[in-house]
Amino acid sequence: MSLVEISLAEFLADFEPLEDNYCFILGAGASKQSKIPTGQEMVETWIHDLRKRDPAFSYADISPDMSEENRYEFYAQVYAYRFRQDYRKGYRFLQRALKNGAPGFGHSVLAHMMAHTKQRLVITTNFDTLVEDALSQYTRAKPLIIEHEALAGFLDTGSERPTVAKLHRGLLLEPFNDTKETATLHESWRKALNRVFLSRTPLFFGYGGNDGSLMGYLEEIEPLRCLYWFYYRPDRPGARIRALVDRHNGCLVPIDGFNEAMFQFCLPCGYHYDGIHAAIVAKNEERLKAFETEWKKLSNSLVSTAAPDALPSFGMQQVDTTHLLSVRDIAQVGPINASKQDWLRWLEDAEDTDKRSQLLNLVPNHYRGSTEFIRRYGDAHKVRLDKSES
């Protein structure tokens, strides 16, 4: 049987998100457009480091089978060799590499699919948090994140809750990244994936197949009914992946990138710009309104009971106060938006005693009781307190 290749348009013509049972399998390539380096890019970085430290370094130091042409297939071996003296430095490298990542457009569409259709399951060899971050930022869904093999038994293929399963663990749980750790798939994950593939067809995005765990598992199990391997043009998959896709009665699907592919998923899902935009705005405005309400309530009631000198400047926003000259203008800024230093400056710049007295009547309690205010304006402070208590 010859290997089948179809276009993305052909796949989407039959894609029914409310009826079909798929699962997304994401590799590092799905995170590339989200400012997270791919496995290939990290291999280049590590090889550069090794050559800089030892000009005599050669691929044979890592493996006799490694060459310039196949170096990316030795991701785990290169990682292990680069950080062989202290594996903790490897973890720190990964944390730094992933810290600037943020969900991209593709992850926002994927999050909506997970929250509103039957396509609720993502399985990944990545340890980044892009999928769960997208679910939090763009939807109201509360996902189940399974990022350790000890929890693999909780993967429920029939769950209505969006689920993210991390085969190589989460970033903060000593993720699997070297040769030994990624050589085989943990037995608990094998059992979980066996259940998944009984009812769901896998869609692969950005997965290079360079680990022995997931790739080895897929090469060992009985042929699946079908799978779809989405690859980024113009880099057609190598012989190992093509053989795997053929073995599982699958199809290759060329795409221009993860974001570009997810954009085309919008049409069969019924997603339009106005609808997604309105949902994002409404969710963020709701959060902002709740935050502002609580901030105002707490700053006007609780701060007066706290130690004044320990309080921060309770400002809703950065306000340019240098132009405020009149007492009326200052009063309109209000106790929430003005800082303690603002009030001290206004009092210091007051033209006369009457204006200073008016200003003192506007100073919030949590500033008025501070050591600095009492030292500078103790008498006025005492008078005001006496009046308020009478």
Side-chain angles (χ1 to χ4, degrees):
M1 178 180 177
S2 61
L3 184 60
V4 177
E5 181 165 323
I6 64 173
S7 68
L8 179 57
E10 289 178 276
F11 171 82
L12 292 175
D14 290 328
F15 180 63
E16 297 182 72
L18 297 179
E19 301 295 334
D20 294 332
N21 285 318
Y22 291 109
C23 63
F24 289 85
I25 299 185
L26 305 184
S31 302
K32 177 178 174 60
Q33 292 169 304
S34 296
K35 298 182 180 179
I36 290 180
T38 65
Q40 292 184 359
E41 291 170 335
M42 285 195 250
V43 166
E44 291 295 340
T45 298
W46 297 331
I47 290 176
H48 173 78
D49 291 344
L50 290 168
R51 284 176 172 158
K52 186 176 180 180
R53 292 166 181 237
D54 180 8
F57 165 79
S58 70
Y59 293 139
D61 294 334
I62 295 176
S63 170
D65 300 321
M66 184 178 176
S67 67
E68 184 72 16
E69 291 71 28
N70 67 6
R71 64 191 184 281
Y72 300 135
E73 298 176 13
F74 289 80
Y75 169 94
Q77 292 92 326
V78 177
Y79 172 85
Y81 189 80
R82 167 63 181 85
F83 299 106
R84 64 193 183 281
Q85 294 172 330
D86 188 348
Y87 70 92
R88 292 169 298 183
K89 292 186 182 296
Y91 295 149
R92 288 199 291 271
F93 174 93
L94 295 173
Q95 291 175 17
R96 287 194 297 269
L98 272 59
K99 71 176 182 179
N100 293 324
F105 176 84
H107 290 94
S108 70
V109 176
L110 177 59
H112 278 278
M113 272 196 281
M114 295 178 72
H116 303 298
T117 76
K118 292 181 68 175
Q119 318 313 316
R120 304 185 186 98
L121 177 59
V122 166
I123 298 168
T124 180
T125 54
N126 302 339
F127 4 91
D128 61 54
T129 60
L130 295 178
V131 177
E132 53 263 48
D133 288 348
L135 283 163
S136 173
Q137 293 174 21
Y138 298 115
T139 78
R140 299 177 186 276
K142 302 294 190 295
L144 171 63
I145 311 300
I146 305 175
E147 49 187 357
H148 195 283
E149 62 276 8
L151 304 175
F154 289 97
L155 200 165
D156 181 0
T157 59
S159 174
E160 296 187 358
R161 184 182 295 274
T163 301
V164 182
K166 301 189 179 186
L167 303 184
H168 292 171
R169 296 187 178 179
L171 179 61
L172 302 180
L173 297 178
E174 296 188 349
F176 293 163
N177 212 43
D178 67 19
T179 313
K180 181 179 179 181
E181 294 168 338
T182 60
T184 58
L185 189 65
H186 194 279
E187 183 61 27
S188 59
W189 280 125
R190 297 175 72 93
K191 291 179 180 179
L193 294 187
N194 287 343
R195 297 195 306 272
V196 169
F197 294 146
L198 284 175
S199 59
R200 292 184 177 270
T201 300
L203 309 179
F204 291 81
F205 285 87
Y207 177 56
N210 295 323
D211 64 297
S213 55
L214 177 59
M215 195 66 177
Y217 164 80
L218 292 169
E219 290 172 331
E220 294 171 7
I221 62 174
E222 292 296 315
L224 303 176
R225 288 173 295 178
C226 183
L227 63 76
Y228 294 89
W229 198 287
F230 296 77
Y231 72 91
Y232 301 161
R233 282 189 284 250
D235 301 323
R236 202 164 188 268
R240 187 181 181 189
I241 291 176
R242 295 199 306 271
L244 180 77
V245 174
D246 188 35
R247 180 173 181 271
H248 288 293
N249 310 302
C251 297
L252 293 176
V253 186
I255 59 176
D256 294 319
F258 184 65
N259 288 349
E260 291 80 358
M262 288 296 105
F263 178 77
Q264 295 188 59
F265 271 78
C266 288
L267 183 60
C269 291
Y271 298 153
H272 302 282
Y273 173 85
D274 290 342
I276 294 182
H277 183 271
I280 294 172
V281 170
K283 186 172 187 290
N284 289 336
E285 286 184 344
E286 181 181 307
R287 284 181 170 180
L288 182 60
K289 184 177 180 179
F291 172 80
E292 289 179 345
T293 299
E294 288 301 309
W295 187 284
K296 290 177 180 178
K297 182 176 72 174
L298 293 170
S299 64
N300 286 328
S301 62
L302 299 182
V303 294
S304 60
T305 64
D309 290 333
L311 290 170
S313 174
F314 284 89
M316 289 297 293
Q317 56 186 343
Q318 292 295 321
V319 179
D320 183 6
T321 59
T322 56
H323 67 286
L324 300 174
L325 301 177
S326 70
V327 173
R328 180 180 177 183
D329 287 342
I330 293 171
Q332 288 177 344
V333 174
I336 292 177
N337 287 331
S339 70
K340 182 170 71 173
Q341 295 306 317
D342 286 332
W343 288 106
L344 288 170
R345 177 167 54 80
W346 292 330
L347 289 164
E348 188 70 26
D349 293 343
E351 298 173 357
D352 52 46
T353 303
D354 289 340
K355 184 174 181 179
R356 186 173 289 114
S357 297
Q358 293 178 56
L359 288 173
L360 281 167
N361 287 329
L362 297 174
V363 178
N365 289 341
H366 54 281
Y367 295 150
R368 191 160 28 95
S370 71
T371 303
E372 196 165 5
F373 268 90
I374 293 174
R375 188 180 73 250
R376 294 191 187 187
Y377 307 104
D379 293 341
H381 170 76
K382 187 175 185 298
V383 169
R384 183 175 169 183
L385 285 179
D386 291 342
K387 286 182 179 181
S388 64
E389 291 172 356
S390 62

